[in-house]
Coordinates of all heavy atoms in Angstrom, one line a residue:
M1468 N 123.0 105.6 135.1 CA 121.9 106.5 135.3 C 122.0 107.7 134.4 O 123.1 108.2 134.2 CB 121.8 106.9 136.7 CG 120.6 107.7 137.1 SD 119.1 106.7 137.0 CE 118.0 107.5 138.0
A1469 N 120.9 108.1 133.8 CA 120.9 109.2 132.8 C 121.2 110.5 133.6 O 121.0 110.6 134.8 CB 119.6 109.3 132.1
T1470 N 121.7 111.5 132.8 CA 122.1 112.7 133.4 C 121.1 113.8 133.0 O 120.2 113.5 132.3 CB 123.5 113.2 133.0 OG1 123.5 113.2 131.6 CG2 124.5 112.2 133.5
S1471 N 121.3 115.0 133.5 CA 120.4 116.1 133.2 C 120.2 116.4 131.7 O 121.1 116.3 131.0 CB 120.9 117.4 133.9 OG 120.2 118.5 133.4
A1472 N 119.0 116.7 131.4 CA 118.7 117.1 130.0 C 119.4 118.3 129.6 O 119.4 118.7 128.4 CB 117.2 117.2 129.8
F1473 N 120.0 119.1 130.5 CA 120.7 120.3 130.2 C 122.2 120.1 130.1 O 123.0 121.0 130.0 CB 120.4 121.4 131.2 CG 118.9 121.7 131.3 CD1 118.2 121.3 132.3 CD2 118.4 122.4 130.3 CE1 116.8 121.6 132.4 CE2 117.0 122.7 130.3 CZ 116.2 122.3 131.3
A1474 N 122.7 118.8 130.1 CA 124.1 118.5 130.0 C 124.6 118.9 128.6 O 123.8 118.9 127.7 CB 124.3 117.1 130.4
D1475 N 125.9 119.0 128.5 CA 126.5 119.3 127.2 C 127.0 117.9 126.7 O 128.0 117.4 127.1 CB 127.6 120.3 127.4 CG 128.2 120.7 126.0 OD1 127.6 120.5 125.0 OD2 129.3 121.3 126.0
P1476 N 126.3 117.3 125.7 CA 126.7 116.0 125.3 C 128.1 115.9 124.7 O 128.5 116.8 124.0 CB 125.6 115.6 124.2 CG 124.5 116.5 124.5 CD 125.1 117.8 125.1
G1477 N 128.8 114.8 124.9 CA 130.1 114.6 124.3 C 130.0 113.8 123.1 O 131.0 113.7 122.3
S1478 N 128.8 113.3 122.8 CA 128.6 112.4 121.6 C 127.2 112.5 121.2 O 126.3 112.8 122.0 CB 128.9 111.0 122.0 OG 128.8 110.1 121.0
F1479 N 127.0 112.4 119.9 CA 125.6 112.4 119.3 C 125.4 111.1 118.5 O 126.2 110.7 117.7 CB 125.4 113.6 118.5 CG 125.2 114.9 119.2 CD1 126.3 115.7 119.4 CD2 124.0 115.2 119.8 CE1 126.2 116.9 120.2 CE2 123.9 116.4 120.6 CZ 125.0 117.2 120.7
L1480 N 124.2 110.5 118.7 CA 123.7 109.4 117.8 C 122.6 110.0 117.0 O 121.6 110.5 117.5 CB 123.2 108.3 118.7 CG 122.4 107.2 118.0 CD1 123.2 106.5 117.0 CD2 121.8 106.3 119.1
E1481 N 122.8 110.0 115.7 CA 121.8 110.5 114.7 C 121.2 109.3 114.0 O 121.9 108.5 113.4 CB 122.5 111.4 113.8 CG 121.6 111.9 112.7 CD 122.4 112.7 111.6 OE1 123.1 112.0 110.8 OE2 122.3 113.9 111.6
I1482 N 119.9 109.2 114.1 CA 119.2 108.1 113.4 C 118.2 108.8 112.4 O 117.3 109.5 112.8 CB 118.4 107.2 114.3 CG1 119.4 106.5 115.3 CG2 117.7 106.1 113.5 CD1 118.8 105.6 116.3
T1483 N 118.5 108.6 111.1 CA 117.6 109.2 110.1 C 116.7 108.1 109.5 O 117.2 107.0 109.1 CB 118.5 109.8 108.9 OG1 119.4 110.7 109.5 CG2 117.6 110.5 107.9
L1484 N 115.4 108.4 109.5 CA 114.4 107.4 109.1 C 113.6 107.9 107.9 O 113.1 109.1 107.9 CB 113.5 107.1 110.2 CG 114.1 106.6 111.5 CD1 113.1 106.7 112.7 CD2 114.6 105.2 111.4
S1485 N 113.4 107.1 106.9 CA 112.6 107.4 105.8 C 111.2 107.0 106.2 O 110.9 105.8 106.3 CB 113.0 106.7 104.5 OG 112.2 107.0 103.5
I1486 N 110.3 108.0 106.5 CA 108.9 107.7 106.9 C 108.0 108.5 106.0 O 108.2 109.8 105.9 CB 108.7 108.0 108.4 CG1 109.6 107.0 109.2 CG2 107.3 107.9 108.8 CD1 109.6 107.3 110.7
A1487 N 107.0 107.9 105.5 CA 106.0 108.7 104.6 C 105.4 109.8 105.4 O 105.1 109.6 106.6 CB 104.9 107.7 104.1
P1488 N 105.1 110.9 104.8 CA 104.5 112.1 105.5 C 103.2 111.7 106.3 O 103.0 112.2 107.4 CB 104.2 113.1 104.4 CG 105.2 112.7 103.3 CD 105.4 111.2 103.4
E1489 N 102.4 110.8 105.8 CA 101.2 110.5 106.5 C 101.4 109.6 107.7 O 100.5 109.5 108.6 CB 100.2 109.7 105.5 CG 100.7 108.4 105.0 CD 101.5 108.5 103.7 OE1 101.9 109.6 103.3 OE2 101.6 107.4 103.1
N1490 N 102.6 109.1 107.9 CA 102.9 108.3 109.1 C 103.8 109.0 110.1 O 104.2 108.5 111.1 CB 103.6 107.0 108.6 CG 102.7 106.1 107.9 OD1 101.5 106.0 108.2 ND2 103.2 105.4 106.9
R1491 N 104.2 110.3 109.8 CA 105.1 111.0 110.7 C 104.5 111.3 112.0 O 105.1 111.3 113.0 CB 105.6 112.2 110.0 CG 106.5 111.8 108.8 CD 107.3 113.0 108.3 NE 108.1 112.4 107.1 CZ 108.4 113.1 106.1 NH1 108.0 114.4 106.0 NH2 109.1 112.6 105.1
A1492 N 103.2 111.5 112.1 CA 102.5 111.8 113.4 C 102.6 110.5 114.3 O 102.9 110.6 115.5 CB 101.1 112.2 113.2
A1493 N 102.4 109.4 113.7 CA 102.6 108.1 114.4 C 104.0 107.9 114.9 O 104.2 107.5 116.1 CB 102.1 106.9 113.6
A1494 N 105.0 108.3 114.1 CA 106.4 108.2 114.5 C 106.7 109.2 115.6 O 107.4 108.8 116.5 CB 107.3 108.4 113.3
A1495 N 106.1 110.3 115.5 CA 106.3 111.3 116.6 C 105.7 110.9 117.9 O 106.3 111.1 119.0 CB 105.7 112.7 116.2
A1496 N 104.6 110.2 117.9 CA 104.0 109.6 119.1 C 104.9 108.6 119.7 O 105.0 108.5 120.9 CB 102.6 109.0 118.8
I1497 N 105.5 107.8 118.9 CA 106.5 106.8 119.4 C 107.7 107.4 120.0 O 108.1 107.1 121.1 CB 106.9 105.8 118.3 CG1 105.7 105.0 117.8 CG2 108.1 104.9 118.7 CD1 105.9 104.2 116.5
Y1498 N 108.2 108.5 119.4 CA 109.3 109.3 120.0 C 108.8 109.8 121.3 O 109.6 109.7 122.3 CB 109.6 110.5 119.0 CG 110.4 111.6 119.7 CD1 111.7 111.5 119.8 CD2 109.7 112.7 120.3 CE1 112.5 112.5 120.5 CE2 110.4 113.6 120.9 CZ 111.8 113.6 121.0 OH 112.5 114.5 121.6
A1499 N 107.7 110.4 121.4 CA 107.2 110.9 122.7 C 107.0 109.9 123.8 O 107.4 110.1 124.9 CB 105.9 111.7 122.5
E1500 N 106.6 108.7 123.4 CA 106.4 107.6 124.3 C 107.7 107.1 125.0 O 107.7 106.8 126.1 CB 105.7 106.4 123.6 CG 105.5 105.2 124.5 CD 104.8 104.1 123.8 OE1 104.3 104.2 122.6 OE2 104.7 103.0 124.4
Y1501 N 108.7 107.1 124.2 CA 110.0 106.5 124.6 C 111.0 107.5 125.0 O 112.1 107.2 125.5 CB 110.6 105.6 123.6 CG 109.7 104.3 123.5 CD1 108.9 104.1 122.4 CD2 109.8 103.4 124.5 CE1 108.1 102.9 122.3 CE2 109.0 102.2 124.4 CZ 108.2 102.0 123.3 OH 107.4 100.9 123.2
K1502 N 110.7 108.8 124.9 CA 111.7 109.8 125.3 C 112.1 109.8 126.8 O 113.3 109.7 127.2 CB 111.2 111.2 125.0 CG 112.2 112.3 125.3 CD 111.8 113.7 124.9 CE 112.9 114.7 125.3 NZ 112.5 116.1 124.8
E1503 N 111.1 109.7 127.7 CA 111.4 109.7 129.1 C 112.1 108.4 129.5 O 113.1 108.5 130.3 CB 110.1 109.9 129.9 CG 110.3 110.1 131.4 CD 110.7 108.8 132.2 OE1 110.1 107.8 131.8 OE2 111.5 108.9 133.1
P1504 N 111.6 107.2 129.1 CA 112.4 106.0 129.4 C 113.8 106.0 128.9 O 114.7 105.6 129.6 CB 111.6 104.9 128.8 CG 110.2 105.4 128.6 CD 110.4 106.9 128.4
F1505 N 114.1 106.6 127.8 CA 115.4 106.8 127.3 C 116.3 107.6 128.2 O 117.3 107.2 128.7 CB 115.4 107.4 125.9 CG 116.7 107.8 125.4 CD1 117.6 106.9 124.8 CD2 117.1 109.2 125.4 CE1 118.9 107.3 124.4 CE2 118.3 109.6 125.0 CZ 119.2 108.7 124.5
L1506 N 115.7 108.8 128.6 CA 116.5 109.7 129.4 C 116.7 109.2 130.8 O 117.7 109.5 131.5 CB 115.8 111.1 129.4 CG 115.8 111.9 128.1 CD1 115.0 113.1 128.2 CD2 117.3 112.2 127.7
S1507 N 115.7 108.4 131.3 CA 115.8 108.0 132.7 C 116.5 106.6 132.9 O 116.9 106.3 134.0 CB 114.4 108.0 133.4 OG 113.6 107.0 132.7
S1508 N 116.6 105.8 131.9 CA 117.1 104.5 132.1 C 118.4 104.1 131.3 O 119.0 103.1 131.6 CB 116.0 103.5 131.8 OG 115.7 103.4 130.4
I1509 N 118.7 104.9 130.3 CA 119.9 104.6 129.5 C 121.1 105.3 130.0 O 121.2 106.5 130.1 CB 119.7 104.9 128.0 CG1 118.5 104.1 127.4 CG2 120.9 104.7 127.2 CD1 118.7 102.6 127.4
D1510 N 122.1 104.5 130.4 CA 123.4 105.1 131.0 C 124.0 106.0 129.9 O 124.2 105.7 128.8 CB 124.4 104.0 131.3 CG 124.0 103.3 132.6 OD1 123.3 103.8 133.4 OD2 124.5 102.1 132.8
G1511 N 124.4 107.2 130.4 CA 125.0 108.2 129.5 C 124.1 109.0 128.7 O 124.5 109.9 128.0
A1512 N 122.8 108.7 128.7 CA 121.8 109.5 127.9 C 121.7 110.9 128.5 O 121.5 111.0 129.7 CB 120.5 108.8 127.8
E1513 N 121.7 111.9 127.6 CA 121.6 113.3 128.1 C 120.5 114.1 127.4 O 119.9 114.9 128.0 CB 122.9 114.0 127.9 CG 124.0 113.3 128.8 CD 125.4 114.0 128.7 OE1 125.6 114.8 127.7 OE2 126.2 113.7 129.5
T1514 N 120.3 113.9 126.1 CA 119.2 114.6 125.4 C 118.6 113.7 124.3 O 119.2 112.7 123.9 CB 119.8 115.9 124.7 OG1 120.8 115.5 123.7 CG2 120.4 116.8 125.7
K1515 N 117.5 114.1 123.9 CA 116.8 113.4 122.7 C 115.9 114.4 122.0 O 115.1 115.0 122.7 CB 116.0 112.2 123.2 CG 115.4 111.3 122.1 CD 114.8 110.1 122.6 CE 114.3 109.2 121.5 NZ 113.7 108.0 122.0
T1516 N 116.1 114.6 120.7 CA 115.4 115.6 120.0 C 114.9 115.0 118.7 O 115.6 114.3 118.0 CB 116.3 116.8 119.6 OG1 116.8 117.3 120.9 CG2 115.5 117.9 118.9
L1517 N 113.6 115.2 118.4 CA 113.0 114.8 117.1 C 113.1 115.9 116.1 O 112.7 117.1 116.4 CB 111.5 114.4 117.3 CG 110.8 113.9 116.1 CD1 111.3 112.6 115.6 CD2 109.3 113.8 116.4
L1518 N 113.6 115.6 114.9 CA 113.7 116.6 113.8 C 112.9 116.1 112.6 O 113.2 115.0 112.1 CB 115.2 116.8 113.4 CG 116.2 117.1 114.5 CD1 117.6 117.0 114.0 CD2 115.9 118.5 115.1
V1519 N 111.9 116.8 112.2 CA 111.0 116.4 111.1 C 111.3 117.3 109.9 O 111.2 118.5 110.0 CB 109.5 116.4 111.5 CG1 108.7 116.0 110.3 CG2 109.3 115.6 112.7
R1520 N 111.8 116.7 108.8 CA 112.1 117.4 107.6 C 111.1 117.0 106.5 O 110.4 116.0 106.7 CB 113.5 117.2 107.2 CG 114.5 117.5 108.3 CD 115.9 117.4 107.9 NE 116.3 116.1 107.3 CZ 117.5 115.9 106.8 NH1 118.4 116.8 106.8 NH2 117.8 114.7 106.3
D1521 N 111.1 117.7 105.4 CA 110.3 117.3 104.3 C 110.7 115.9 103.7 O 109.8 115.2 103.2 CB 110.4 118.3 103.1 CG 109.7 119.6 103.5 OD1 108.9 119.7 104.4 OD2 110.1 120.6 102.8
T1522 N 111.9 115.6 103.8 CA 112.4 114.3 103.2 C 112.5 113.1 104.2 O 112.5 112.0 103.7 CB 113.8 114.5 102.6 OG1 114.7 115.0 103.6 CG2 113.8 115.6 101.5
D1523 N 112.6 113.4 105.5 CA 112.8 112.3 106.4 C 112.5 112.8 107.9 O 112.1 113.9 108.1 CB 114.2 111.7 106.3 CG 115.3 112.7 106.5 OD1 115.1 113.7 107.3 OD2 116.3 112.5 105.8
V1524 N 112.8 111.9 108.8 CA 112.6 112.1 110.2 C 114.0 111.8 110.8 O 114.5 110.7 110.5 CB 111.5 111.3 110.8 CG1 111.5 111.5 112.4 CG2 110.2 111.7 110.2
Q1525 N 114.5 112.6 111.7 CA 115.7 112.3 112.4 C 115.5 112.4 113.9 O 114.7 113.2 114.4 CB 116.8 113.3 112.1 CG 117.4 113.2 110.7 CD 118.5 114.2 110.4 OE1 118.5 115.3 111.0 NE2 119.4 113.8 109.6
V1526 N 116.2 111.5 114.6 CA 116.2 111.5 116.0 C 117.6 111.7 116.4 O 118.5 110.9 116.1 CB 115.6 110.3 116.7 CG1 115.6 110.4 118.2 CG2 114.2 110.0 116.2
L1527 N 117.9 112.8 117.1 CA 119.2 113.2 117.6 C 119.3 112.9 119.1 O 118.6 113.5 119.9 CB 119.5 114.6 117.3 CG 120.9 115.1 117.5 CD1 121.9 114.3 116.6 CD2 121.0 116.6 117.2
H1528 N 120.2 112.0 119.4 CA 120.4 111.6 120.8 C 121.7 112.1 121.3 O 122.7 111.9 120.7 CB 120.4 110.0 121.0 CG 119.3 109.3 120.4 ND1 119.1 109.1 119.0 CD2 118.3 108.6 120.9 CE1 118.1 108.4 118.7 NE2 117.5 108.1 119.9
G1529 N 121.7 112.8 122.5 CA 122.9 113.2 123.1 C 123.4 112.3 124.2 O 122.6 111.8 125.0
F1530 N 124.7 111.9 124.2 CA 125.2 111.0 125.1 C 126.5 111.6 125.7 O 127.1 112.4 125.2 CB 125.6 109.7 124.5 CG 124.4 108.8 124.1 CD1 123.9 108.9 122.9 CD2 123.9 107.9 125.0 CE1 122.8 108.1 122.5 CE2 122.9 107.1 124.7 CZ 122.3 107.2 123.4
A1531 N 126.9 111.0 126.9 CA 128.1 111.4 127.5 C 129.3 111.0 126.7 O 130.3 111.7 126.6 CB 128.2 110.9 128.9
T1532 N 129.2 109.8 126.1 CA 130.4 109.2 125.3 C 129.9 108.5 124.1 O 128.7 108.1 124.0 CB 131.2 108.2 126.2 OG1 130.3 107.1 126.5 CG2 131.7 108.9 127.5
N1533 N 130.8 108.2 123.2 CA 130.5 107.4 122.0 C 130.1 106.0 122.4 O 129.2 105.3 121.9 CB 131.7 107.3 121.0 CG 131.8 108.5 120.2 OD1 131.1 109.5 120.4 ND2 132.7 108.5 119.2
E1534 N 130.8 105.5 123.5 CA 130.5 104.1 124.0 C 129.1 104.0 124.5 O 128.4 103.0 124.2 CB 131.5 103.7 125.0 CG 133.0 103.6 124.6 CD 133.7 104.9 124.3 OE1 133.3 106.0 124.9 OE2 134.7 104.9 123.6
A1535 N 128.6 105.0 125.1 CA 127.2 105.0 125.6 C 126.2 105.0 124.4 O 125.2 104.3 124.5 CB 126.9 106.2 126.5
A1536 N 126.5 105.7 123.4 CA 125.7 105.7 122.2 C 125.7 104.3 121.5 O 124.6 103.8 121.2 CB 126.2 106.8 121.2
E1537 N 126.8 103.7 121.4 CA 126.9 102.4 120.8 C 126.2 101.4 121.7 O 125.5 100.5 121.1 CB 128.4 102.0 120.7 CG 129.1 102.8 119.6 CD 130.6 102.6 119.6 OE1 131.1 101.8 120.4 OE2 131.3 103.4 118.8
K1538 N 126.3 101.5 123.0 CA 125.6 100.5 123.8 C 124.1 100.7 123.7 O 123.4 99.7 123.8 CB 126.1 100.8 125.3 CG 125.6 99.7 126.3 CD 126.2 99.9 127.6 CE 125.7 98.9 128.6 NZ 126.2 99.1 129.9
Y1539 N 123.6 101.9 123.6 CA 122.2 102.1 123.4 C 121.6 101.3 122.2 O 120.5 100.8 122.3 CB 121.8 103.6 123.3 CG 120.4 103.8 122.9 CD1 119.3 103.4 123.7 CD2 120.1 104.4 121.7 CE1 118.0 103.7 123.3 CE2 118.8 104.7 121.3 CZ 117.7 104.3 122.1 OH 116.4 104.5 121.8
L1540 N 122.4 101.3 121.1 CA 121.9 100.6 119.9 C 121.7 99.1 120.1 O 120.9 98.5 119.4 CB 122.9 100.9 118.8 CG 122.9 102.3 118.2 CD1 124.1 102.4 117.2 CD2 121.6 102.7 117.6
S1541 N 122.3 98.5 121.1 CA 122.1 97.1 121.4 C 121.2 96.9 122.7 O 121.0 95.8 123.1 CB 123.4 96.4 121.5 OG 124.1 96.9 122.6
S1542 N 120.7 98.0 123.2 CA 119.8 97.9 124.4 C 118.5 97.3 124.1 O 118.0 97.4 123.0 CB 119.7 99.2 125.1 OG 118.8 100.1 124.3
D1543 N 117.8 96.7 125.1 CA 116.5 96.2 124.9 C 115.5 97.4 124.6 O 114.6 97.2 123.8 CB 116.0 95.5 126.1 CG 116.6 94.1 126.3 OD1 117.2 93.6 125.4 OD2 116.4 93.6 127.4
L1544 N 115.7 98.5 125.2 CA 114.8 99.7 124.9 C 114.8 100.0 123.4 O 113.8 100.2 122.8 CB 115.2 100.9 125.7 CG 114.4 102.1 125.5 CD1 112.9 101.9 125.9 CD2 114.9 103.3 126.2
F1545 N 116.0 100.0 122.8 CA 116.1 100.3 121.3 C 115.6 99.1 120.5 O 114.8 99.2 119.6 CB 117.5 100.7 120.9 CG 117.6 101.1 119.5 CD1 117.1 102.2 119.0 CD2 118.2 100.2 118.6 CE1 117.1 102.6 117.6 CE2 118.3 100.5 117.2 CZ 117.7 101.7 116.8
T1546 N 116.2 97.9 120.7 CA 116.0 96.8 119.8 C 114.6 96.1 120.0 O 114.0 95.6 119.0 CB 117.0 95.7 120.0 OG1 117.0 95.2 121.4 CG2 118.4 96.2 119.7
Q1547 N 114.1 96.1 121.2 CA 112.8 95.4 121.5 C 111.6 96.4 121.6 O 110.5 95.9 121.4 CB 112.9 94.6 122.8 CG 114.0 93.6 122.8 CD 113.8 92.6 121.7 OE1 112.8 92.0 121.5 NE2 114.9 92.3 121.0
D1548 N 111.8 97.6 121.8 CA 110.7 98.6 122.0 C 110.7 99.6 120.9 O 109.8 99.6 120.1 CB 110.8 99.3 123.4 CG 110.7 98.3 124.5 OD1 110.0 97.3 124.4 OD2 111.4 98.5 125.6
V1549 N 111.6 100.5 120.9 CA 111.6 101.6 119.9 C 111.6 101.1 118.5 O 110.7 101.5 117.7 CB 112.8 102.6 120.2 CG1 112.8 103.7 119.1 CG2 112.7 103.2 121.6
F1550 N 112.6 100.3 118.1 CA 112.7 99.9 116.7 C 111.5 99.0 116.3 O 111.0 99.2 115.2 CB 114.0 99.1 116.5 CG 114.2 98.9 115.0 CD1 114.6 99.9 114.2 CD2 114.0 97.6 114.5 CE1 114.8 99.7 112.8 CE2 114.2 97.4 113.1 CZ 114.6 98.4 112.3
V1551 N 111.0 98.2 117.2 CA 109.8 97.3 116.9 C 108.6 98.2 116.6 O 107.8 98.0 115.7 CB 109.6 96.3 118.0 CG1 108.2 95.6 117.8 CG2 110.7 95.3 118.0
A1552 N 108.4 99.3 117.4 CA 107.3 100.2 117.3 C 107.4 101.0 116.0 O 106.3 101.2 115.3 CB 107.2 101.1 118.5
L1553 N 108.6 101.4 115.6 CA 108.8 102.2 114.4 C 108.8 101.4 113.1 O 108.5 101.9 112.0 CB 110.1 103.0 114.5 CG 110.1 104.2 115.4 CD1 111.5 104.7 115.5 CD2 109.2 105.3 114.9
K1554 N 109.1 100.1 113.2 CA 109.3 99.3 112.0 C 108.2 99.3 111.0 O 108.5 99.4 109.8 CB 109.6 97.8 112.4 CG 110.2 97.0 111.3 CD 110.7 95.7 111.8 CE 111.3 94.9 110.6 NZ 111.9 93.7 111.0
P1555 N 106.9 99.3 111.3 CA 105.9 99.4 110.3 C 105.9 100.7 109.5 O 105.3 100.7 108.4 CB 104.6 99.3 111.1 CG 105.0 98.7 112.4 CD 106.4 99.1 112.7
Y1556 N 106.5 101.7 110.0 CA 106.5 103.0 109.3 C 107.8 103.3 108.5 O 107.8 104.2 107.7 CB 106.3 104.1 110.3 CG 105.1 103.9 111.2 CD1 105.2 103.6 112.5 CD2 103.8 104.0 110.6 CE1 104.1 103.4 113.3 CE2 102.7 103.7 111.4 CZ 102.8 103.4 112.7 OH 101.7 103.2 113.5
I1557 N 108.8 102.5 108.7 CA 110.1 102.8 108.1 C 110.1 102.2 106.6 O 109.9 101.0 106.4 CB 111.3 102.2 108.9 CG1 111.3 102.8 110.3 CG2 112.6 102.4 108.2 CD1 112.3 102.1 111.3
L1558 N 110.5 103.1 105.7 CA 110.4 102.7 104.3 C 111.8 102.2 103.7 O 111.8 101.5 102.7 CB 110.0 103.9 103.4 CG 108.7 104.5 103.7 CD1 108.4 105.8 102.9 CD2 107.6 103.5 103.4
A1559 N 112.9 102.5 104.4 CA 114.2 102.0 104.0 C 115.1 101.8 105.2 O 114.7 102.2 106.3 CB 114.8 103.1 103.1
D1560 N 116.2 101.2 105.0 CA 117.1 101.0 106.2 C 117.5 102.4 106.8 O 117.8 103.3 106.1 CB 118.4 100.3 105.7 CG 118.2 98.9 105.4 OD1 117.2 98.3 105.8 OD2 119.1 98.3 104.6
P1561 N 117.4 102.4 108.1 CA 117.8 103.7 108.8 C 119.3 104.0 108.6 O 120.1 103.1 108.4 CB 117.6 103.4 110.3 CG 116.8 102.1 110.3 CD 117.0 101.4 109.1
D1562 N 119.6 105.3 108.5 CA 121.0 105.8 108.5 C 121.4 106.1 109.9 O 120.8 107.0 110.5 CB 121.1 107.0 107.6 CG 122.5 107.5 107.4 OD1 123.4 106.8 107.8 OD2 122.6 108.6 106.9
I1563 N 122.3 105.4 110.5 CA 122.7 105.5 111.9 C 124.1 106.0 111.9 O 125.0 105.3 111.4 CB 122.5 104.2 112.6 CG1 121.1 103.8 112.6 CG2 123.0 104.4 114.1 CD1 120.8 102.4 113.2
R1564 N 124.4 107.1 112.6 CA 125.7 107.7 112.7 C 126.0 108.2 114.1 O 125.1 108.7 114.8 CB 125.9 108.9 111.8 CG 125.7 108.5 110.3 CD 125.7 109.8 109.4 NE 125.3 109.4 108.1 CZ 125.9 109.9 107.0 NH1 126.9 110.7 107.1 NH2 125.5 109.5 105.8
I1565 N 127.2 108.0 114.5 CA 127.6 108.5 115.9 C 128.7 109.5 115.6 O 129.7 109.3 114.9 CB 128.2 107.3 116.7 CG1 127.0 106.4 117.0 CG2 128.7 107.9 118.0 CD1 127.4 105.1 117.8
Y1566 N 128.6 110.7 116.3 CA 129.5 111.8 116.2 C 130.1 112.1 117.5 O 129.4 112.1 118.5 CB 128.8 113.0 115.7 CG 128.1 112.9 114.3 CD1 126.8 112.6 114.3 CD2 128.8 113.1 113.2 CE1 126.1 112.4 113.0 CE2 128.2 113.0 111.9 CZ 126.9 112.6 111.9 OH 126.2 112.5 110.7
Q1567 N 131.4 112.4 117.5 CA 132.1 113.0 118.7 C 131.9 114.5 118.8 O 132.1 115.1 117.7 CB 133.6 112.6 118.7 CG 134.3 113.1 119.9 CD 133.9 112.3 121.2 OE1 133.8 111.1 121.2 NE2 133.7 113.1 122.2
A1568 N 131.4 115.0 119.9 CA 131.2 116.5 120.0 C 132.4 117.1 120.7 O 132.9 116.5 121.6 CB 129.9 116.7 120.7
Y1569 N 132.7 118.3 120.3 CA 133.8 119.0 120.9 C 133.4 120.4 121.3 O 132.5 121.0 120.7 CB 135.0 119.2 119.9 CG 135.6 117.8 119.6 CD1 135.3 117.1 118.5 CD2 136.5 117.2 120.5 CE1 135.8 115.9 118.2 CE2 137.1 116.0 120.2 CZ 136.8 115.4 119.1 OH 137.3 114.1 118.8

């Protein structure tokens, strides 16, 4: 079960996406649609933040552990819902990184 959005994550999953400026509003809508299901149904999920820059879009996910972050990447929510919805807007392979927080 997900924990409070105010928890101090022990791990971060950063997904950087190359999305054309004209498609960023659509990507933001997908982020908004899946934020609550992520926080309420993914074990170890603690936070989710959308970062929009001039060059790309990043989604920063906070997790209790690195293992929880890795498990999310193979979850149905990510592989069957989020990634499928975003795929038409992604211009290049996503850059996916997991960081341990201290």
Side-chain angles (χ1 to χ4, degrees):
M1468 185 69 156
T1470 58
S1471 166
F1473 299 108
D1475 189 14
S1478 180
F1479 287 96
L1480 166 64
E1481 175 190 73
I1482 301 176
T1483 304
L1484 304 166
S1485 177
I1486 297 177
E1489 63 270 17
N1490 292 326
R1491 291 191 183 150
I1497 293 165
Y1498 162 84
E1500 178 181 351
Y1501 290 107
K1502 181 177 182 175
E1503 190 283 324
F1505 168 79
L1506 292 171
S1507 65
S1508 69
I1509 298 297
D1510 286 338
E1513 297 181 347
T1514 63
K1515 185 173 182 179
T1516 304
L1517 178 67
L1518 307 170
V1519 180
R1520 304 185 307 175
D1521 289 341
T1522 56
D1523 56 33
V1524 174
Q1525 290 183 328
V1526 183
L1527 188 60
H1528 308 73
F1530 287 92
T1532 65
N1533 281 10
E1534 293 77 20
E1537 291 169 6
K1538 188 174 178 183
Y1539 170 63
L1540 291 173
S1541 62
S1542 72
D1543 286 346
L1544 181 64
F1545 182 74
T1546 62
Q1547 301 300 314
D1548 297 325
V1549 175
F1550 190 74
V1551 170
L1553 285 171
K1554 193 171 182 172
Y1556 306 112
I1557 299 173
L1558 300 174
D1560 289 339
D1562 182 13
I1563 300 173
R1564 298 173 189 226
I1565 296 175
Y1566 301 94
Q1567 182 68 46
Y1569 295 97

